[in-house]
Amino acid sequence: MHVESSSLIWGLAGLLPLLVYVVLVFRGVEVLTATVLGVVLGALLSHQTLLSFGQALASAMGSFLAMVGLIIMLGRGLGEVLAATGVSHTIVHRIIHGIGIDSQKKALLGIMTACLVMVGLLGTMAGGNAIIAPIVVPIAAAVGLSRSTVAVIFQAVGEEALILGPFTPPVITLLGLTKLGYGEMLLYVSGPVALITFSATWFMVQRIQRRTQATEAYRLPEDLERFEPTPASRRATTVFTLCFLAAAIWGIVFHAPTSFVIVIMLGLSFVTGLTGGLSLDEVLRLIVQGMAGNVGLFLLFLLLDPFIGFVEKAGGFAALGTLLKPGMEIGGRSAIVVTGGFLGAFGISGATVATLKLLNEMFMPLLSRYGVSMLAWSVALVVATRVNNFVFPGANMVSSLGFAGSEDMRSMLKNGWVVAACQLSYLTCYALFFA
């Protein structure tokens, strides 16, 4: 018994890199810096040599996370091409003006739709909202929507767009980890979570709008520039839309692997850029320019693979499974799903892809041992990463305030906690009946 207790203690010590990572991130340290420190500590605890450490980094170059990092970089490059050709602005313009906005509720619907489409296409909240903000803010001002209302929409809809778009990093990662099909994931996992979020947010923005319409009103200059699509941007938008839909449908029908997305990102960049009047040199320059902006994120994903591997070699995940085993035996599959969701929501912060990978590795032994449904576990992963961004004032929340020109963090957190309560309640019910 003494030997078992000693082994458990040493195993739990293997979780120290993960604990350091969580504490540093919550204290405002950059995620990349926290990951580097975690990797170094994990290497020491798992007794790595310089040779084995270098081998681990080399192996990480071919890992799933490294591929996701490359896809994210290519997505940023595609975003640069869409912006340069006016495609992204044209899409938003069509959505907003196609609705025929003449009331606050239509404006809300138009902004939500534009945010959903653009963030879902680009796979980044900051990038998507940066594009739609100059177009939708004048419309919001014209119908009397407050800054607080627009900020809440930017974040709430943007968060869910990231789990709906077929080529967004969280979706690519989730499908790779759980081996679910995109249609199955959309219908049973992300779709219901997004619907719950949109419903709760729609209710909350009505209250926030009534409370803030007098104090948080927009005051915009009369000569504010408004975007008007050109023939070239319209042509490029049509080509991009058709190619994107064709690629998405082909990928779903033929169950294309994650690597398929790399070809699609590059293909869409070239086709859209050339159709929009750019030269081949200009398209390549924009792709490289966009990718360069995400080099730090790629390095983060590259380091996460050895980070997780070192924690596992140090016995951290095995010890955690042993520690949680009594509670899991009492609660069974439902307890595993709920524990994973709540742990991710309130215990592990940082990049979404990193959180998904960490949670999956931590709970994989328990998932296999108890035969937990991958659909139920997928709901836990999605809710965990969404709730974390709603209950804490992180980068997505702050950037949404910035794009809306608001400083009303109180309204953001109010909506966030209501959405979080709804999502966690849904996870608990789903776990009880379907785990």
Side-chain angles (χ1 to χ4, degrees):
M1 182 65 70
H2 176 71
V3 174
E4 291 181 359
S5 299
S6 178
S7 176
L8 178 62
I9 292 173
W10 278 110
L12 289 175
L15 291 172
L16 190 58
L18 186 58
L19 178 62
V20 170
Y21 168 87
V22 171
V23 171
L24 289 176
V25 170
F26 269 113
R27 291 181 63 85
V29 175
E30 288 290 334
V31 175
L32 181 57
T33 303
T35 305
V36 168
L37 294 174
V39 168
V40 173
L41 183 56
L44 292 174
L45 289 173
S46 58
H47 308 293
Q48 301 297 309
T49 65
L50 289 177
L51 290 177
S52 63
F53 187 82
Q55 183 58 46
L57 291 176
S59 299
M61 289 294 292
S63 68
F64 173 73
L65 280 178
M67 181 169 59
V68 173
L70 176 60
I71 290 171
I72 292 174
M73 292 173 72
L74 291 172
R76 180 79 172 264
L78 173 60
E80 292 287 336
V81 174
L82 295 180
T85 55
V87 170
S88 51
H89 294 74
T90 302
I91 291 174
V92 176
H93 184 273
R94 287 179 177 177
I95 292 170
I96 294 298
H97 293 279
I99 293 177
I101 293 174
D102 55 11
S103 68
Q104 287 188 352
K105 288 190 175 181
K106 282 188 176 181
L108 288 173
L109 181 61
I111 296 172
M112 292 176 77
T113 305
C115 183
L116 181 66
V117 171
M118 193 50 56
V119 175
L121 283 176
L122 299 183
T124 164
M125 267 189 66
N129 286 337
I131 289 170
I132 71 172
I135 303 171
V136 304
V137 165
I139 296 170
V143 297
L145 292 181
S146 71
R147 300 169 187 264
S148 302
T149 299
V150 175
V152 167
I153 292 174
F154 279 170
Q155 195 219 351
V157 177
E159 292 286 0
E160 304 316 299
L162 291 174
I163 60 169
L164 295 174
F167 304 132
T168 64
V171 168
I172 293 169
T173 306
L174 185 68
L175 297 182
L177 293 175
T178 63
K179 309 305 179 187
L180 295 177
Y182 175 71
E184 185 181 21
M185 185 277 299
L186 196 64
L187 185 61
Y188 298 109
V189 181
S190 295
V193 173
L195 182 60
I196 289 169
T197 303
F198 295 154
S199 300
T201 299
W202 183 261
F203 168 76
M204 286 299 295
V205 293
Q206 313 297 321
R207 301 185 61 181
I208 291 170
Q209 173 63 21
R210 287 194 296 269
R211 182 175 60 82
T212 61
Q213 60 184 350
T215 58
E216 289 284 315
Y218 280 106
R219 293 179 179 84
L220 299 174
E222 295 180 0
D223 60 346
L224 186 70
E225 181 180 355
R226 281 176 167 77
F227 173 79
E228 287 295 335
T230 64
S233 69
R234 289 192 179 97
R235 182 174 62 252
T237 300
T238 300
V239 171
F240 168 77
T241 303
L242 292 175
C243 291
F244 180 87
L245 290 175
I249 293 171
W250 193 93
I252 294 170
V253 171
F254 292 97
H255 304 287
T258 306
S259 55
F260 170 70
V261 181
I262 297 174
V263 179
I264 295 307
M265 289 293 186
L266 286 170
L268 288 174
S269 296
F270 286 120
V271 170
T272 306
L274 296 174
T275 306
L278 301 177
S279 67
L280 183 60
D281 285 344
E282 288 174 319
V283 174
L284 287 169
R285 179 180 57 79
L286 288 168
I287 292 174
V288 172
Q289 178 180 312
M291 292 179 70
N294 271 348
V295 169
L297 200 58
F298 178 77
L299 181 58
L300 167 65
F301 289 169
L302 190 65
L303 291 173
L304 277 172
D305 195 68
F307 178 23
I308 294 168
F310 293 158
V311 173
E312 184 176 10
K313 287 180 181 178
F317 294 143
L320 180 64
T322 301
L323 196 64
L324 295 176
K325 185 177 179 181
M328 299 302 102
E329 289 178 344
I330 295 174
R333 294 191 294 267
S334 299
I336 296 173
V337 172
V338 172
T339 301
F342 275 76
L343 179 63
F346 299 102
I348 299 179
S349 183
T352 297
V353 172
T355 302
L356 290 171
K357 180 68 173 175
L358 286 170
L359 281 174
N360 199 64
E361 291 294 333
M362 288 171 66
F363 283 83
M364 183 53 67
L366 291 171
L367 298 176
S368 301
R369 185 185 307 161
Y370 290 91
V372 176
S373 160
M374 272 296 106
L375 281 176
W377 180 240
S378 297
V379 173
L381 291 176
V382 167
V383 169
T385 55
R386 295 310 92 197
V387 167
N388 189 280
N389 290 324
F390 276 112
V391 297
F392 302 114
N396 286 351
M397 192 177 290
V398 174
S399 67
S400 297
L401 283 169
F403 289 127
S406 173
E407 296 180 358
D408 186 9
M409 181 64 76
R410 176 187 173 192
S411 293
M412 301 291 282
L413 290 172
K414 274 189 174 182
N415 180 70
W417 280 94
V418 170
V419 168
C422 293
Q423 290 186 351
L424 291 170
S425 297
Y426 172 72
L427 170 63
T428 303
C429 293
Y430 195 101
L432 289 174
F433 291 102
F434 300 107

